[in-house]
């Protein structure tokens, strides 16, 4: 049997009470947003004839997500993170703040407090037997193309199994997480290992939601960046290593064409030896 009650005065009065519209205290914006959110959900229940069983299984799922601290993982999967970035892009465009490296999402796996270095850092602890050496080098420039010395470049990425230190307790503290301050020419160099793509844990609440949508939880191999300097807008971005099967099929919708970079293989032994010195190379 299907009944429709949403538009009745009783339900509308009830919603006003639940959102605290007839109470003096509280926060006006919180009230208006909660009223809208509950209205949309109550209407959804009416429109889809959501059963009590369906409702309580949704409550169980939300509890499981919270218990495993996975709201932050489901969030990019449901597109919230990218949607907020699309809005920020539009806000910046409106304010004529355009150009430079595009932003993309932070994701749920940043950890503050990584070791800080000047100009160069080795990021891996040498404990990953499948780790293939990778050098990252770049230059922070302002919108006029001038180098920015002393900029903070925070880099974090997964190991060869797609795991992130702190969350993956088999890794040493702050493995593959560093803050590098750019040198006098605005440059930074890191020695690390090639990351693998990330996959949402099998069977986890986030995975259950994605499976119900017929979707996977894979991300292509990527490297996260925060770039900041006094007087400049903070940049949150990532680069993707080109050639990954998930480059254009990222469950977190974070790929942007300008951020897909081809790696260059170094085979010349002399060049490898020069770089093995573990320092910024000329
Ligand atoms: C990641 O490594 C990530 O970057 C995002 C956005 C989601 C899950 C894992
Ligand atoms: Fe990531």
């Amino acid at each position: 049997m299907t009944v429709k009650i949403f538009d009745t005065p009783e339900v509308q009065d009830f919603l006003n009470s639940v959102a605290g519209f007839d109470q003096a205290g509280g926060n006006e914006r919180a009230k208006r947003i909660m009223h809208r959110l509950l209205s949309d959900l109550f209407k959804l229940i009416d429109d889809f004839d959501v059963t009590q069983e369906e409702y309580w299984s949704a409550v169980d799922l939300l509890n499981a997500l919270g218990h495993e601290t996975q709201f932050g993982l489901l969030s990019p999967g449901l597109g919230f993170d990218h949607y907020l970035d699309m809005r920020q892009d539009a806000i910046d465009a409106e304010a004529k703040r355009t150009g430079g490296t595009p932003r993309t999402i932070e994701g749920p796996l940043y950890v503050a407090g990584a070791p800080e270095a000047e100009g160069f850092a080795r990021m891996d602890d040498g404990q990953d037997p499948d780790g293939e050496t990778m050098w990252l080098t770049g230059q922070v420039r302002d919108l006029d193309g001038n180098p920015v010395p002393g900029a903070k470049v925070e880099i974090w990425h997964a190991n060869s199994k797609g795991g992130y230190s702190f969350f993956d307790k088999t890794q040493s503290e702050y493995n593959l997480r560093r803050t590098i301050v750019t040198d006098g020419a605005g440059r930074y160099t890191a020695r690390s290992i090639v990351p693998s793509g990330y996959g949402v844990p099998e069977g986890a609440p986030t995975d259950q939601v994605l499976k119900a949508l017929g979707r996977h939880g894979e991300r292509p191999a990527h490297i996260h960046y925060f770039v900041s300097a006094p007087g400049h807008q903070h940049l949150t971005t990532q680069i993707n290593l080109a050639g990954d099967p998930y480059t254009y099929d990222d469950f977190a919708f974070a790929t942007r064409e300008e951020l897909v970079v081809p790696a260059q293989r170094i085979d010349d032994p002399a060049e490898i030896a020069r770089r093995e010195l573990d320092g910024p190379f000329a």
Side-chain angles (χ1 to χ4, degrees):
M1 196 181 61
T2 151
V3 297
K4 299 296 167 209
I5 64 168
F6 182 76
D7 288 320
T8 62
E10 294 96 305
V11 168
Q12 293 305 309
D13 286 350
F14 175 53
L15 271 165
N16 290 342
S17 301
V18 177
F21 279 7
D22 42 16
Q23 304 295 320
N27 175 298
E28 282 313 311
R29 181 170 165 82
K31 290 182 186 196
R32 281 188 286 118
I33 290 176
M34 186 60 81
H35 183 273
R36 169 64 174 275
L37 179 64
L38 294 175
S39 293
D40 288 353
L41 291 173
F42 281 21
K43 184 157 173 46
L44 179 158
I45 289 172
D46 223 32
D47 289 348
F48 286 84
D49 293 306
V50 170
T51 66
Q52 301 236 354
E53 289 73 18
E54 286 172 325
Y55 176 77
W56 292 111
S57 76
V59 169
D60 284 346
L61 182 72
L62 291 173
N63 275 337
L65 280 164
H67 186 70
E68 299 184 31
T69 57
Q70 284 194 358
F71 283 119
L73 183 58
L74 182 59
S75 170
L78 294 183
F80 286 102
D81 305 40
H82 184 59
Y83 182 64
L84 290 169
D85 273 355
M86 293 166 82
R87 281 187 48 84
Q88 199 59 51
D89 287 351
I91 291 164
D92 282 355
E94 191 77 27
K96 305 264 187 291
R97 284 190 302 264
T98 54
T101 303
R103 67 166 50 82
T104 193
I105 71 175
E106 173 181 336
L109 305 176
Y110 171 74
V111 177
E116 201 168 308
E118 302 274 336
F120 170 82
R122 176 149 181 188
M123 296 183 65
D124 68 296
D125 62 9
Q127 306 293 300
D128 190 336
D130 302 321
E132 184 183 7
T133 302
M134 169 180 80
W135 277 277
L136 282 173
T137 184
Q139 186 183 37
V140 179
R141 290 188 293 262
D142 67 18
L143 288 178
D144 300 321
N146 306 309
V148 182
K152 249 170 77 170
V153 180
E154 295 179 73
I155 305 175
W156 71 102
H157 65 82
N159 68 3
S160 70
K161 308 279 177 291
Y164 284 80
S165 66
F166 184 82
F167 303 95
D168 167 10
K169 294 300 183 192
T170 70
Q171 295 183 46
S172 56
E173 195 182 28
Y174 292 115
N175 190 36
L176 311 179
R177 301 177 184 275
R178 290 294 183 274
T179 297
I180 308 176
V181 177
T182 56
D183 66 15
R187 297 205 142 271
Y188 68 90
T189 304
R191 176 183 166 166
S192 196
I193 56 166
V194 177
S196 290
Y198 169 94
V200 168
E202 198 73 31
T206 301
D207 185 48
Q208 289 174 37
V209 175
L210 294 171
K211 288 259 161 61
L213 302 177
R215 292 178 45 198
H216 65 72
E218 303 295 329
R219 295 213 61 210
H222 62 279
I223 299 159
H224 295 269
Y225 282 78
F226 284 160
V227 182
S228 59
H232 298 273
Q233 192 177 9
H234 182 282
L235 174 68
T236 299
T237 193
Q238 305 178 21
I239 55 173
N240 286 356
L241 302 181
D244 192 294
Y246 292 104
T247 303
Y248 299 104
D249 189 19
D250 176 8
F251 100 95
F253 306 98
T255 300
R256 301 186 74 155
E257 191 58 56
E258 306 95 308
L259 301 175
V260 179
V261 297
Q264 283 174 298
R265 183 166 294 283
I266 301 168
D267 291 316
D268 174 24
E271 179 62 17
I272 292 170
R274 197 164 68 89
R275 290 168 182 245
E276 289 293 348
L277 295 173
D278 269 12
F281 43 86

